Amino acid sequence: RKEVEQDPGPFNVPEGATVAFNCTYSNSASQSFFWYRQDCRKEPKLLMSVYSSGNEDGRFTAQLNRASQYISLLIRDSKLSDSATYLCVVNPLGYGQNFVFGPGTRLSVLP
Amino acid sequence: NAGVMQNPRHLVRRRGQEARLRCSPMKGHSHVYWYRQLPEEGLKFMVYLQKENIIDESGMPKERFSAEFPKEGPSILRIQQVVRGDSAAYFCASSPPGGEQFFGPGTRLTVL
């Protein structure tokens, strides 16, 4: 089993739709979780950290389920500018601060 | 506060030449990470360094690749005797201890 798994997509959704991505991780001792977004041929950019209590930033909501070892990202009222690849990132204990990146889920928001 | 700086942004080398990629972390960040991204693929971790120390190099190919982060100056990723399969985008990231990673714009290496 890979350390971090994501559905590669693509997810094609109309503007204004709500879309959710899930990510699973294998190391139950992992402590830190993040979502990054990467636009085509650009560097990944931090979207949000994921906390045990869940957190929300505008149209974006991140949730962590430790029992099932998955992380989710919900995007409401999708915009064209949300089109990107969304990377799930886990910092597993025992690896120093080496982050493990998932393969990414591609989102296309269509007009 | 300047972000993570990488140079060059684009690098073209012929097979057998050496490639040197530089990364200057954000001010106050003592941790540097190198990643490789092949076309249409995800990020692959290569190496994690702190000043003058390699912490984790589990993602580095056994031959031709090396990395350093000296006390003074940028971190360097060095690829000797490049081959066509080394063509990729190489991203550097930096973080403070225990913090999120911030990425540089990447160096796109093309091997002819």
Side-chain angles (χ1 to χ4, degrees):
Chain A
R1 182 184 174 186
K2 293 183 179 177
E3 287 189 83
V4 181
E5 295 193 73
Q6 293 182 254
D7 181 343
F11 284 58
N12 298 315
V13 303
E15 269 188 290
T18 295
V19 60
F21 308 135
N22 285 335
C23 162
T24 58
Y25 60 95
S26 60
N27 188 334
S28 58
S30 298
Q31 291 296 317
S32 306
F33 310 89
F34 309 90
W35 283 101
Y36 281 70
R37 70 170 277 170
Q38 185 175 26
D39 294 279
C40 187
R41 299 182 66 78
K42 296 288 184 71
E43 73 272 25
K45 292 186 177 177
L46 178 66
L47 182 63
M48 56 198 309
S49 303
V50 187
Y51 304 118
S52 297
S53 55
N55 48 306
E56 186 173 313
D57 182 3
R59 298 181 293 108
F60 298 84
T61 301
Q63 297 276 354
L64 168 63
N65 185 319
R66 286 189 183 275
S68 300
Q69 293 179 215
Y70 80 78
I71 308 146
S72 65
L73 178 67
L74 182 77
I75 305 175
R76 290 180 298 277
D77 188 23
S78 300
K79 311 291 184 190
L80 295 176
S81 57
D82 293 334
S83 297
T85 298
Y86 289 83
L87 307 172
C88 173
V89 183
V90 175
N91 182 5
L93 285 181
Y95 288 86
Q97 293 184 60
N98 171 19
F99 285 19
V100 180
F101 282 75
T105 297
R106 187 176 294 180
L107 170 66
S108 291
V109 180
L110 308 173
Chain B
N1 187 10
V4 179
M5 311 281 283
Q6 287 188 251
N7 68 82
R9 296 289 304 274
H10 299 273
L11 181 61
V12 179
R13 285 288 179 266
R14 297 191 180 279
R15 281 180 296 170
Q17 291 184 320
E18 179 180 286
R20 280 186 177 240
L21 288 61
R22 296 175 188 77
C23 170
S24 296
M26 286 178 72
K27 188 176 181 181
H29 288 188
S30 56
H31 300 228
V32 166
Y33 315 78
W34 285 95
Y35 297 85
R36 177 165 63 177
Q37 188 170 37
L38 295 169
E40 304 302 320
E41 294 190 12
L43 281 168
K44 300 295 183 189
F45 166 77
M46 299 182 76
V47 63
Y48 158 40
L49 310 103
Q50 294 179 22
K51 282 287 185 181
E52 299 185 278
N53 288 307
I54 296 175
I55 306 302
D56 181 352
E57 56 182 347
S58 58
M60 287 280 271
K62 294 287 186 286
E63 298 176 346
R64 301 188 298 108
F65 285 72
S66 62
E68 62 176 9
F69 188 15
K71 188 175 180 181
E72 302 290 339
S75 175
I76 306 285
L77 179 67
R78 182 182 177 205
I79 311 172
Q80 296 178 290
Q81 299 174 335
V82 295
V83 300
R84 289 220 172 105
D86 296 334
S87 295
Y90 291 83
F91 290 101
C92 166
S94 72
S95 77
E100 299 94 342
Q101 294 184 18
F102 293 87
F103 282 79
T107 294
R108 279 175 174 73
L109 172 65
T110 302
V111 179
L112 301 177

